[in-house]
């Protein structure tokens, strides 16, 4: 459907995303329209192309796919355009004066000779320059929009390109269309490649080959946690991505190495992203230095230590304490109920006895909070401990080799979640005499970021490691703990026992599973157990999409738990609808995001923090989220850092613990239905775990012990670093 008319009213506009709700006045009447626009002002004449859709709240409206500003030609159109919000300082009276004086050439004259504006009362040099600038910018944005649409780019993507490049978009794209992949959110290689073809880039060009190789390495790091690609993997990836292995492959690799984006290991031919190659070397070198530098072992008064923690340590725990006293670097690993927290508390007492200042840290805010509660000591996120500042992509920590931590010992929990680069920053910030204790569960999912740190530290054979295997009496009564260990061993869980805390509720199909999950969260669990749907219950799914994926479950639960009503503000951000009262989660580290707590002010909200959306500005300019009393203020550029959290992926749940967990067990991709994913989901529950769905799928998850080996080589780097150290 194509319509032309005048924008009579803008009801809502998100300046960050360009998402706009407006009314177009046409010869056939007013038509509500929604879409993404570079810039749009009341009074402008526009041509829209799109589909008529029905919104349950706002009724019939045009969803705009393409748009074009109609250059005003008549005196009436010119007056309306000059008087619109798009052009500052003029207004209806001055617009009429100018059009009357200069006729239909008025826009050209104003762009080229803005000095004529000085004849108007109240217009000085500064305002005249601003008017000229606005006119030129409007013309440029129109040209840019037409250029981008000509390349087959949709409004939303075009808006994002314009936000990054501005009026230089055409120049930047023609210079290097593949730079869009790194610089513009939402553009992948295939989109950039299609644009490149339209701008004249040849399929066999060196530029295309280089872009393809760089993309494959970055994608492997982002999607698979890989630090490198082998030759075979690179060739396979190029063949799939570009249709062939280009003859310019080696030249492209050499150029990327020269430009310090990639590194090639001469022995193995592995192709590393430079930042990850550097991180592996740095972590290995630092840990070996900490291990090998001569120092006196700590003194241990076992009886005093046991009195302090209120427990009698068994032989395995005593061995762990002795190892913590003897070794400057120690890994402690074990499943639920095996006493990891006890060892952490014992380690704290040990360091206290030896007058060492100790810092406690964890990868996420919730994990840090759990650590703090279990030890009665302050615990920080690793990011906060290291003093990260700025945005996630560009931030570097304040604490580093030149400005080390003021800590004699550091204990880190949930180390399976720590990626390679974060470990590099942490180890760099340790003083030469510091001690490091790393605690984690190797059977949980690996980190979202690149690397396989915990696994590689243990596999290296040079980092002292204590494996906790005994399940203690207080945990033996828990079906959750017992079943987690059964699943870890490849045995089916035992469910639905009287007075148990682990249940499996089978359903006939996926739709029934979604309905049952909604009923459990909204009615049955609050009524029977007294759990709060907002504070106590967390829904988990392995998948984002599908009828039991996180997206659909969030929509169901939002509708049931936080329905729309008059006076409750809401806002669309991309594909998400946020409403005041929603459960939300921060999905990126934002070290500068301001918050207030009882009059105190601070900065920093971290990936994995859960909160409640308490306020949405009616104009769409701000949102406020309550994080356990900390009120964080979001501006439009930060809105995409939030997601609904009635349901979250199992990957996102790592490091968190909830009183009650409801897990969707439904058919899906085999790589998402694995034993360690099920194990991770089950171990998020503190008091009650309910699995809902397909019996056969549950059994397949127990049997599927597939874990994709990550292309990481920290274990090799550690052994090499130790050899070099001892040769010196």
């Amino acid at each position: 459907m194509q319509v032309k008319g005048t924008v009579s009213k803008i009801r809502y506009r998100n300046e960050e995303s360009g998402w706009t709700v407006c009314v177009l006045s046409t010869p056939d009447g007013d038509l509500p329209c929604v879409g993404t626009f570079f810039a749009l002002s009341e009074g402008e004449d526009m041509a829209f192309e799109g589909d008529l859709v029905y919104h349950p709240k706002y009724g019939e409206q045009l969803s705009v796919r393409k748009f074009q500003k109609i250059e005003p030609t008549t005196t009436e159109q010119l007056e309306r355009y000059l008087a619109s919000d798009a052009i500052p300082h003029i207004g209806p009276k001055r617009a009429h004066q100018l059009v009357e004086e200069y006729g239909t050439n008025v826009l050209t004259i104003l762009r080229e000779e803005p000095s004529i504006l000085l004849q108007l009362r109240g217009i000085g040099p500064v305002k005249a320059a601003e008017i000229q600038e606005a006119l030129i910018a409007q013309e440029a944005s129109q040209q840019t929009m037409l250029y981008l649409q000509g390349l087959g780019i949709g409004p939303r993507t075009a808006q994002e390109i314009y936000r990054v490049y501005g009026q230089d978009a055409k120049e930047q794209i023609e210079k290097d269309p593949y730079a869009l992949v790194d610089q513009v959110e939402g553009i992948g290689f295939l989109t950039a490649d299609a644009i490149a073809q339209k701008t004249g880039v040849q399929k066999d060009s060196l530029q295309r080959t280089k872009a393809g190789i760089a993309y494959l390495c970055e994608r492997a790091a982002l999607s698979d946690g890989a630090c490198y690609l082998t030759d075979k993997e690179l060739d396979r990836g190029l063949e799939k991505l570009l249709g062939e292995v280009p003859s310019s492959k080696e030249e492209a690799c050499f150029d990327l190495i020269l430009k310090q984006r990639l590194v090639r290991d001469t022995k193995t031919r592995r192709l590393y992203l430079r930042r990850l190659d550097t991180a592996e070397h740095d972590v290995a070198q630092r840990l070996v230095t900490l291990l090998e530098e001569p120092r006196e072992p700590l003194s241990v008064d076992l009886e005093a230590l046991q009195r302090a923690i209120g427990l009698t340590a068994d032989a395995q725990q005593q061995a762990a304490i002795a190892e913590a006293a003897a070794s400057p670097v120690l890994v402690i690993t074990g499943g639920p109920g095996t006493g990891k927290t006890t060892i952490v508390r014992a380690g704290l007492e040990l360091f206290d006895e030896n007058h060492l200042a100790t810092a406690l840290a964890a990868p996420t805010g919730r994990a840090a909070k759990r650590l703090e509660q279990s030890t009665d000591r302050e615990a920080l996120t690793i990011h906060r401990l290291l003093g990260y500042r700025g945005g996630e992509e560009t931030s570097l920590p304040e604490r580093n080799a030149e400005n080390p931590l003021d800590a004699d010992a550091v204990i880190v929990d949930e180390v399976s979640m720590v990626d390679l680069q974060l470990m590099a920053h942490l180890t760099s910030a340790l003083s030469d005499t510091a001690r490091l204790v790393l605690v984690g569960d190797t059977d949980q999912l690996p980190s979202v970021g690149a690397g396989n740190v915990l696994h590689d530290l243990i596999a290296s054979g040079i980092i002292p490691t204590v494996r906790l295997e005994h399940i203690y009496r207080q945990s033996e009564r828990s079906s959750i703990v017992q079943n987690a260990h059964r699943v870890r061993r490849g045995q089916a869980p035992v469910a639905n026992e009287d007075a148990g805390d682990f249940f499996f509720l089978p359903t006939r199909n996926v739709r029934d599973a979604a309905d049952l999950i909604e009923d459990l969260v909204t009615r049955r669990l609050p009524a029977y157990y007294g759990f709060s749907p907002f504070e106590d219950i967390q829904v988990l799914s392995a998948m984002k999409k599908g009828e039991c994926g996180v997206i659909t479950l969030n929509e169901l639960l939002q509708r049931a738990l936080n329905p729309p009503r008059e006076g409750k503000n809401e806002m669309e951000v991309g594909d998400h609808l946020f409403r005041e009262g929603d459960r939300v989660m921060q999905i990126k580290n934002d070290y500068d995001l301001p918050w207030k707590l009882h009059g105190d002010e601070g900065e920093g909200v971290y990936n994995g923090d859960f909160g409640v959306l308490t306020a949405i500005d009616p104009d769409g300019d701000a949102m406020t989220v309550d994080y356990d009393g900390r009120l964080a203020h979001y501006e439009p550029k930060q809105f995409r850092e939030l997601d609904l959290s009635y349901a979250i992926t199992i990957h996102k749940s790592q490091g968190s613990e909830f009183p009650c967990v409801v897990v969707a067990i439904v058919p899906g991709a085999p790589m998402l239905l694995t034993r360690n994913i099920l194990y991770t989901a089950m171990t998020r529950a503190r008091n009650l775990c309910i699995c809902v769905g397909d019996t056969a799928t549950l059994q397949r998850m127990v049997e599927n012990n597939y874990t994709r080996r990550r292309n990481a080589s920290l274990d090799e780097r550690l052994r090499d670093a130790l050899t070099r150290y001892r040769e010196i």
Side-chain angles (χ1 to χ4, degrees):
M1 180 180 180
Q2 293 180 324
V3 291
K4 294 181 180 180
T6 303
V7 179
S8 58
K9 187 170 181 62
I10 293 179
R11 291 175 174 169
Y12 169 77
R13 178 168 173 81
N14 185 317
E15 292 299 335
E16 177 68 15
S17 66
W19 177 258
T20 305
V21 181
C22 67
V23 177
L24 190 72
S25 293
T26 76
D28 297 324
D30 289 348
L31 176 64
C33 302
V34 296
T36 302
F37 304 91
F38 293 141
L40 196 67
S41 300
E42 293 180 357
E44 290 187 298
D45 294 317
M46 302 292 295
F48 289 164
E49 182 180 325
D51 301 309
L52 276 177
V53 297
Y54 183 81
H55 192 282
K57 183 175 180 180
Y58 302 109
E60 193 175 65
Q61 54 189 23
L62 184 71
S63 178
V64 180
R65 290 193 309 271
K66 291 184 178 180
F67 61 90
Q68 184 175 347
K69 195 174 293 183
I70 299 173
E71 186 76 10
T73 54
T74 68
T75 55
E76 182 185 351
Q77 290 172 338
L78 286 162
E79 282 190 33
R80 189 164 59 240
Y81 175 60
L82 288 170
S84 72
D85 294 339
I87 312 299
H89 311 311
I90 291 183
K93 188 175 178 181
R94 288 169 177 161
H96 179 73
Q97 264 182 275
L98 289 166
V99 173
E100 194 171 59
E101 178 75 21
Y102 300 106
T104 55
N105 291 324
V106 64
L107 295 182
T108 303
I109 293 170
L110 290 176
R111 291 185 193 114
E112 296 176 357
E113 300 177 45
S115 59
I116 65 171
L117 290 163
L118 300 176
Q119 301 170 15
L120 299 177
R121 187 175 179 182
I123 301 292
V126 173
K127 287 185 178 179
E130 288 175 354
I131 292 168
Q132 182 194 33
E133 186 179 322
L135 285 164
I136 292 172
Q138 287 285 321
E139 184 180 37
S141 73
Q142 171 72 351
Q143 291 173 350
T144 302
M145 181 267 293
L146 291 172
Y147 171 74
L148 294 175
Q149 288 189 352
L151 294 175
I153 300 171
R156 185 172 293 181
T157 304
Q159 168 70 23
E160 190 63 22
I161 293 172
Y162 191 76
R163 188 184 68 79
V164 175
Y165 291 145
Q167 297 172 21
D168 298 328
K170 184 174 185 290
E171 180 185 349
Q172 292 293 330
I173 288 172
E174 291 182 348
K175 179 182 177 182
D176 184 6
Y178 296 103
L180 291 164
V181 177
D182 296 326
Q183 297 175 3
V184 180
E185 188 176 351
I187 293 187
F189 180 85
L190 294 179
T191 300
D193 194 41
I195 293 169
Q197 307 298 309
K198 292 178 181 177
T199 61
V201 176
Q202 298 299 308
K203 286 191 173 184
D204 60 351
S205 69
L206 180 63
Q207 183 185 27
R208 185 171 186 248
T209 305
K210 283 167 48 180
I213 293 170
Y215 171 74
L216 288 170
C217 291
E218 293 286 354
R219 189 183 66 179
L222 185 63
S223 302
D224 303 326
C227 298
Y228 64 82
L229 288 177
T230 65
D231 256 347
K232 285 184 179 179
E233 289 168 339
L234 180 61
D235 287 351
R236 197 160 52 244
L238 287 170
E239 194 166 330
K240 188 175 180 180
L241 189 68
L242 305 182
E244 63 178 357
V245 179
S247 59
S248 57
K249 180 190 111 176
E250 287 305 316
E251 183 183 357
C253 286
F254 185 68
D255 196 50
L256 288 165
I257 292 167
L258 281 180
K259 291 179 177 175
Q260 300 195 350
R261 187 163 183 179
L262 302 180
V263 172
R264 174 168 272 160
D265 186 290
T266 53
K267 292 181 181 178
T268 63
R269 296 279 299 171
R270 295 168 178 169
L271 199 62
Y272 289 80
L273 286 170
R274 175 170 284 277
R275 65 179 184 274
L276 299 178
D277 176 76
T278 300
E280 281 196 343
H281 278 293
D282 288 352
V283 171
Q285 184 62 50
R286 193 75 188 118
L287 290 179
V288 166
T289 300
L290 290 173
L291 275 173
E292 293 293 296
E293 285 294 303
R295 68 181 82 185
E296 291 294 320
L298 302 179
S299 62
V300 184
D301 186 337
L302 187 60
E303 289 186 6
L305 191 150
Q306 291 180 135
R307 284 195 301 271
I309 64 174
L311 290 170
T312 300
D314 63 16
Q316 193 176 59
Q317 291 173 325
Q318 289 182 25
I321 295 167
E323 193 66 65
S327 178
V329 182
L330 177 64
V331 170
I332 298 170
T333 182
T338 57
K340 294 192 297 295
T341 299
T342 299
I343 298 299
V344 170
R345 290 170 58 204
L348 283 168
E349 291 298 328
L350 172 67
F351 296 150
D352 285 351
E353 287 178 4
N354 286 270
H355 310 291
L356 302 182
T358 305
L360 286 174
T364 67
R366 288 185 76 91
K369 188 175 180 179
R370 283 174 55 206
L371 185 60
E372 191 169 274
Q373 291 170 341
S374 64
T375 60
D376 291 323
R377 301 283 190 98
E378 181 185 38
L380 305 174
T381 65
I382 300 172
H383 297 88
R384 192 174 171 194
L385 177 70
L386 297 178
Y388 279 74
R389 305 288 300 175
E392 185 173 44
E393 289 77 15
T394 59
S395 177
L396 289 173
E398 292 177 350
R399 297 292 192 170
N400 49 42
E402 287 71 41
N403 182 29
L405 292 166
D406 301 319
D408 303 311
V410 176
I411 300 175
V412 183
D413 199 11
E414 297 286 357
V415 179
S416 64
M417 298 178 64
V418 178
D419 64 38
L420 177 63
Q421 287 191 284
L422 184 57
M423 180 58 71
H425 289 157
L426 174 63
T427 52
S428 172
L430 297 174
S431 67
D432 290 341
T433 58
R435 308 178 86 86
L436 179 64
V437 178
L438 303 170
V439 184
D441 185 349
T442 55
D443 292 310
Q444 287 191 32
L445 298 171
S447 61
V448 174
N452 203 3
V453 172
L454 181 58
H455 172 276
D456 283 0
L457 292 178
I458 297 171
S460 72
I462 72 166
I463 306 296
T465 300
V466 175
R467 298 179 184 271
L468 303 176
E469 296 176 346
H470 178 70
I471 303 174
Y472 291 93
R473 189 178 296 112
Q474 64 269 26
S475 298
E476 288 177 352
R477 295 187 294 269
S478 168
S479 298
I480 297 171
V481 171
Q482 293 295 329
N483 280 321
H485 285 278
R486 286 181 64 84
V487 167
R488 182 175 62 82
R489 295 191 296 266
Q491 300 170 331
V494 177
N496 306 340
E497 295 184 325
D498 291 343
D501 54 12
F502 182 90
F503 295 89
F504 179 75
L505 306 180
T507 59
R508 292 176 299 176
N509 52 53
V510 178
R511 180 70 261 173
D512 285 353
D515 291 340
L516 179 54
I517 289 171
E518 180 187 350
D519 188 47
L520 284 166
V521 174
T522 61
R523 186 180 65 85
R524 291 166 62 173
L525 292 173
Y528 191 80
Y529 292 96
F531 287 135
S532 164
F534 283 88
E535 297 177 5
D536 301 324
I537 305 171
Q538 184 60 62
V539 176
L540 303 179
S541 176
M543 292 160 282
K544 287 185 177 180
K545 298 179 179 179
E547 287 189 281
C548 265
V550 165
I551 296 171
T552 299
L553 290 173
N554 268 318
E555 291 173 353
L556 284 174
L557 294 169
Q558 181 191 50
R559 189 159 56 243
L561 295 170
N562 189 33
R565 62 172 172 80
E566 191 173 349
K568 185 182 287 188
N569 295 322
E570 57 186 46
M571 180 190 302
E572 289 187 11
V573 180
D575 297 327
H576 298 303
L577 174 68
F578 291 108
R579 185 175 295 130
E580 289 175 344
D582 275 336
R583 279 184 60 172
V584 294
M585 179 174 64
Q586 181 78 7
I587 59 173
K588 286 185 176 181
N589 292 316
D590 191 330
Y591 313 111
D592 294 337
L593 188 68
W595 52 260
K596 294 182 179 180
L597 175 63
H598 308 311
D600 295 329
E601 296 183 356
E603 293 179 335
V605 179
Y606 304 102
N607 186 4
D609 285 353
F610 290 80
V612 176
L613 180 54
T614 57
I616 296 175
D617 185 87
D619 296 326
D621 295 329
M623 292 196 290
T624 302
V625 179
D626 184 343
Y627 293 102
D628 295 325
R630 292 181 299 141
L631 299 179
H633 179 80
Y634 288 76
E635 297 179 351
K637 64 181 180 181
Q638 298 156 323
F639 290 170
R640 292 180 181 270
E641 296 176 4
L642 288 172
D643 203 350
L644 295 174
S645 66
Y646 301 99
I648 62 175
T649 64
I650 295 168
H651 282 82
K652 279 289 185 184
S653 74
Q654 287 193 92
S656 298
E657 189 179 79
F658 310 92
C660 175
V661 164
V662 179
V663 189
I665 306 292
V666 296
M671 67 181 65
L672 295 176
L673 301 176
T674 64
R675 186 183 300 172
N676 64 340
I677 286 178
L678 177 61
Y679 174 86
T680 300
M682 293 168 61
T683 54
R684 300 309 91 201
R686 185 165 61 246
N687 304 119
L688 182 65
C689 180
I690 301 177
C691 294
V692 177
D694 182 54
T695 305
T697 298
L698 178 68
Q699 186 60 36
R700 279 197 294 273
M701 293 181 78
V702 172
E703 294 170 355
N704 183 6
N705 198 29
Y706 171 78
T707 53
R708 181 169 181 171
R709 193 194 182 289
R710 288 194 163 185
N711 285 357
S713 49
L714 179 58
D715 53 344
E716 300 170 20
R717 300 286 172 76
L718 279 163
R719 289 190 289 269
D720 290 344
L722 182 62
T723 300
R724 288 196 304 273
Y725 187 94
R726 290 177 174 177
E727 287 175 348
I728 296 175

